[in-house]
Amino acid sequence: MDHLDKPDKYLAKGWNQHIWPPFTQIASSLPQQRVVGSRDALLFREQGPPIIDAISSWWVTLHGHANEYVANAIADQAKKLEQVIFADFSHPQAERLAERLSHITGLQRLFFSDNGSTAVEVAIKIACQFWQNRKEPRHQLIAFEGAYHGDTFGAMAVGERNLFNAPFEKMLFPVSRLPWPATWWNDEDIENRENETITQLARLLETPTAAVILEPLVQGAGGMSMVREEFLKKVETVVKDSKALLIADEVMTGFGRCGDLFATKRAQVSPDLMTLSKGLTSGFLPMGVTMAREDIFETFVGNDPRLTFWHGHSFTANPLGCAAANASLDLLENAPSAYTRFESRHLPHLKKLAQHRKVTKPRLTGTIAAFNIEVSGKSGYLNVVGKSLKQFALEHGVLIRPLGNVVYLLPPLCITDDQLEKCYSIIEDGLEFC
């Protein structure tokens, strides 16, 4: 009997028999719900009332769903040029985007890729080949415990070694690691933890190092773990003194998410390489970008073909993605208060929620608010309390996706005050049932 003729046990439970969903164990998860439309902060389901997207659909939907300005920019571009090989040709949207991102990041060269993980791969490869091209090979890479930089092999290697990449452990290159001095409200021991990390960093950097990579201000998938701006400044100083390159992974933290256009800008840190994605196109189309200093780029230029950066993607600098990114930047430039004032919108709600007996370690950076749920068992990503709260919130019209016992809100900039208040209210109610 052909396998297509067999009864589908997953279909019987409500799963599509042809789709393999990401980050999902279907044996213990509820089936996907079908979304048929969206507008601003709302998702419209085929069955059931609209739900508030309080996590920007995995942190990508910056200005809101189906934003007309961005959608029109894509449509207009699609009528002119939808794709062209970027190794041989350029186009106006890519040139405009490169100029704008260079201006606002202070990094002169832009390399296009397809998503956040590939942007990180590009940054790692550039950093390593930079030293090779200078005939000063450096092989050590330094990352932080709890980091998440993507799911391709290089990105996995510099990320936390855990359940997600355990099957590939023997295939990942070695990386030196440091503790991440996460902090929260009323944290009295933070300076000691920061100083310990800086001391360890200086010791590691005694070995010639290609690059240090970090998620500035907030580790996303690592539990929305936040550090102080002062810590990033100390890291920058020590890294620059060692001549190693500093890679800022701003895939999640970029484009206003941390209260300034970039987390590094808020912290007044100048990385040598920067990775961007997610909010880059306001969530409309996949695109990744790696920004680099001009002098790094210059080491890849010369008559020797071995100097060349032999890397590329089929959809590099896709014109539709570039059009979306330029439109998104227009919106950010025209209304900066949408992100600069978002922290003050979270603040009163998080202060109130912080009084709940189950809430610990409340923290807030820009548009990202987070806290831990006090649990009796083992904390972490596999703690089931997050699933319980997620289901309760969904049943009451709010989409959240806790990281185990870590709960966070990272909504689109367009969310209304009433919608934001409802998110906090539903979470507070849900804490009584999980």
Side-chain angles (χ1 to χ4, degrees), residues 113-131:
S113 58
D114 289 354
N115 54 58
S117 186
T118 57
V120 169
E121 295 283 337
V122 168
I124 294 170
K125 289 177 69 174
I126 287 175
C128 293
Q129 190 176 339
F130 166 75
W131 294 106

Side-chain angles (χ1 to χ4, degrees), residues 76-135:
D76 290 344
Q77 181 60 43
K79 298 172 187 175
K80 301 173 186 175
L81 175 68
E82 86 299 340
Q83 171 65 8
V84 66
I85 178 172
F86 203 64
D88 296 296
F89 302 98
S90 182
H91 56 83
Q93 290 284 5
E95 292 167 1
R96 182 168 181 248
L97 180 59
E99 182 178 355
R100 297 172 82 179
L101 287 178
S102 175
H103 176 72
I104 59 180
T105 64
L107 297 168
Q108 294 78 22
R109 291 287 171 170
L110 181 155
F111 192 95
F112 286 100
S113 58
D114 289 354
N115 54 58
S117 186
T118 57
V120 169
E121 295 283 337
V122 168
I124 294 170
K125 289 177 69 174
I126 287 175
C128 293
Q129 190 176 339
F130 166 75
W131 294 106
Q132 189 72 32
N133 286 359
R134 285 166 54 106
K135 295 182 170 52

Side-chain angles (χ1 to χ4, degrees), residues 46-65:
E46 188 173 64
Q47 296 180 340
I51 54 177
I52 301 170
D53 184 354
I55 58 167
S56 299
S57 286
W58 250 340
W59 323 338
V60 301
T61 304
L62 187 60
H63 302 289
H65 292 281

Side-chain angles (χ1 to χ4, degrees), residues 291-359:
M291 305 296 300
R293 289 195 336 248
E294 181 69 15
D295 63 298
I296 294 175
F297 167 78
E298 289 291 342
T299 65
F300 290 79
V301 180
N303 294 325
D304 186 345
R306 290 174 295 183
L307 297 176
T308 306
F309 187 53
W310 298 109
H311 188 105
H313 300 266
S314 300
F315 291 95
T316 292
N318 174 259
L320 304 183
C322 291
N326 277 314
S328 181
L329 284 178
D330 290 344
L331 295 175
L332 289 171
E333 290 173 358
N334 292 335
S337 62
Y339 60 86
T340 59
R341 297 180 182 176
F342 208 104
E343 197 166 298
S344 64
R345 297 179 65 192
H346 272 306
L347 192 58
H349 302 298
L350 187 59
K351 280 184 175 179
K352 179 176 180 290
L353 193 61
Q355 304 305 312
H356 195 283
R357 69 186 187 283
K358 290 186 178 180
V359 172

